[in-house]
């Protein structure tokens, strides 16, 4: 499986100026021919990607999810995975239908005087037919503020203006937890791609405990009075042993 060489050859193709350029990587294995170091492969791919959107499609469990997810990160592409016995024709058809009909590309948000931070996704992906784009983040500001979303539609730049009420409303009390869930998902993805980092894990644990989100690094246990404490302690040890194994895993089995 010469992933590095395949990417190199594919990126020799010219990038058209009148439409977005997609590069799709479909693989059922690990890099075993030529360059096999995932860090080096990612470095080569990022340097050559340019304006291409990279999409990865992993088949089966014998794939390196950190490599495939890393290829897509920052390119406005996404990664998808299927199980070994899943109908590949249906999965590929659905994947192709997703990327074959871009509606609006190169999305940008004019924030005006509103200061936004910790956005998820940090880079807006392209919007495809039948899809949706949900952006969550934190803001500094108040009152009604005008925001403008712009993007390329068939070669023409289109603007969509809407007002956001930043003074808050009790009906919207669910939004902070929605943001926290998206943030935790993003942070866990960074851990999976880039490896375990203390600041990322600390933030995941903090958000999980504050907003009641079950994560790979937090657990919530309610113990009845008549439960054997010895068995509870054994369960805790088993959980932490399993967590250590999960931290080291890169298999596609966990990515599906």
């Amino acid at each position: 499986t010469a992933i590095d060489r395949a990417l190199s050859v594919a990126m020799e193709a010219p990038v058209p100026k009148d439409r977005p350029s997609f590069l799709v990587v479909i693989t059922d294995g690990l890099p075993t021919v030529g360059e096999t170091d995932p860090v080096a492969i990612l470095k080569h791919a990022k340097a050559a990607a340019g304006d291409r959107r990279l999409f990865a499609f992993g088949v089966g469990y014998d794939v390196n999810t950190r490599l495939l997810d890393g290829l897509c990160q920052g390119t406005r592409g996404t990664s998808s995975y299927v199980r070994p016995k899943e109908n590949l024709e249906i999965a590929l058809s659905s994947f192709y239908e997703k990327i074959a009909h871009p509606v609006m590309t190169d999305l940008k948000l004019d924030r005006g005087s509103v200061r936004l931070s910790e956005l998820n996704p940090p880079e807006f992906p392209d919007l495809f037919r039948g899809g949706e784009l949900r952006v969550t983040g934190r803001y500094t500001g108040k009152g009604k503020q005008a925001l403008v979303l712009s993007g390329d539609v068939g070669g023409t730049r289109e603007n969509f203006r809407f007002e956001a009420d930043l003074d808050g409303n009790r009906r919207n009390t669910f939004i902070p937890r929605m943001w926290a869930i998206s943030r935790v998902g993003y942070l866990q993805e960074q851990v999976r791609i880039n490896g375990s980092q203390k600041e990322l894990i600390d933030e995941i644990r903090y958000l999980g405990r504050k907003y009641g989100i079950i994560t790979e690094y937090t657990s919530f246990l309610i113990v009845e009075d008549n439960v054997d404490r010895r068995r509870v302690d054994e369960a805790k040890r088993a959980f932490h042993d399993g967590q250590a194994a999960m931290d080291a895993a890169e298999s596609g089995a966990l990515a599906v």
Side-chain angles (χ1 to χ4, degrees):
T1 306
I3 293 179
D4 186 64
R5 178 60 179 159
L7 289 170
S8 175
V9 171
M11 290 185 187
E12 292 175 359
V15 177
K17 296 182 179 180
D18 59 340
R19 61 185 186 275
S21 177
F22 297 166
L23 192 156
V24 181
V25 183
I26 303 177
T27 180
D28 65 348
L30 306 170
T32 57
V33 178
E35 180 61 72
T36 58
D37 180 11
V39 175
I41 296 174
L42 287 174
K43 183 178 180 180
H44 298 163
K46 296 294 184 182
D51 292 330
R52 296 177 180 86
R53 280 77 160 165
L54 269 61
F55 293 83
F57 192 89
V59 181
Y61 296 155
D62 190 25
V63 294
N64 188 317
T65 58
R66 286 186 177 178
L67 173 59
L68 298 188
D69 292 349
L71 288 173
C72 303
Q73 187 181 45
T75 69
R76 289 168 289 184
T78 58
S79 52
S80 304
Y81 299 93
V82 296
R83 295 179 176 87
K85 295 183 179 181
E86 193 169 342
N87 190 315
L88 188 57
E89 183 176 348
I90 294 176
L92 275 172
S93 297
S94 300
F95 176 72
Y96 175 75
E97 278 299 312
K98 171 186 173 182
I99 67 174
H101 304 284
V103 175
M104 190 162 65
T105 60
D106 295 322
L107 274 66
K108 291 182 174 57
L109 182 64
D110 184 355
R111 309 163 185 183
S113 61
V114 181
R115 181 180 177 185
L116 301 179
S117 63
E118 298 180 1
L119 291 179
N120 186 62
E123 294 181 344
F124 294 172
D126 298 326
L127 189 61
F128 297 93
R129 186 177 71 184
E132 66 175 15
L133 174 61
R134 176 184 294 168
V135 180
T136 60
R138 306 185 72 172
Y139 68 87
T140 301
K142 61 181 180 179
K144 292 186 177 181
Q145 301 284 345
L147 304 177
V148 179
L149 180 68
S150 62
D152 288 336
V153 180
T156 303
R157 197 72 184 174
E158 299 284 354
N159 296 318
F160 301 88
R161 180 186 177 93
F162 57 95
E163 281 195 348
D165 186 355
L166 304 182
D167 287 338
N169 188 304
R170 289 189 176 183
R171 292 180 299 176
N172 299 329
T173 55
F174 66 94
I175 291 180
R177 189 169 189 271
M178 180 186 294
W179 163 80
I181 292 172
S182 297
R183 179 70 178 170
V184 165
Y186 168 75
L187 293 171
Q188 290 186 150
E189 183 180 6
Q190 295 306 300
V191 171
R192 191 155 63 95
I193 294 174
N194 302 312
S196 179
Q197 299 179 27
K198 184 178 184 302
E199 59 271 19
L200 296 179
I201 295 174
D202 287 346
E203 185 175 355
I204 291 172
R205 286 172 172 161
Y206 169 76
L207 293 174
R209 290 164 180 159
K210 181 176 180 179
Y211 293 96
I213 303 168
I214 297 177
T215 75
E216 297 176 5
Y217 305 99
T218 57
S219 58
F220 300 89
L221 183 64
I222 300 174
V223 181
E224 299 292 343
D225 291 339
N226 60 348
V227 170
D228 186 347
R229 297 296 308 185
R230 180 179 56 82
R231 296 182 62 188
V232 171
D233 292 338
E234 290 176 355
K236 286 182 178 180
R237 285 194 296 271
F239 171 82
H240 290 299
D241 290 343
Q243 184 60 57
M246 183 178 293
D247 290 344
E250 297 178 342
S251 166
L254 294 177
V256 174

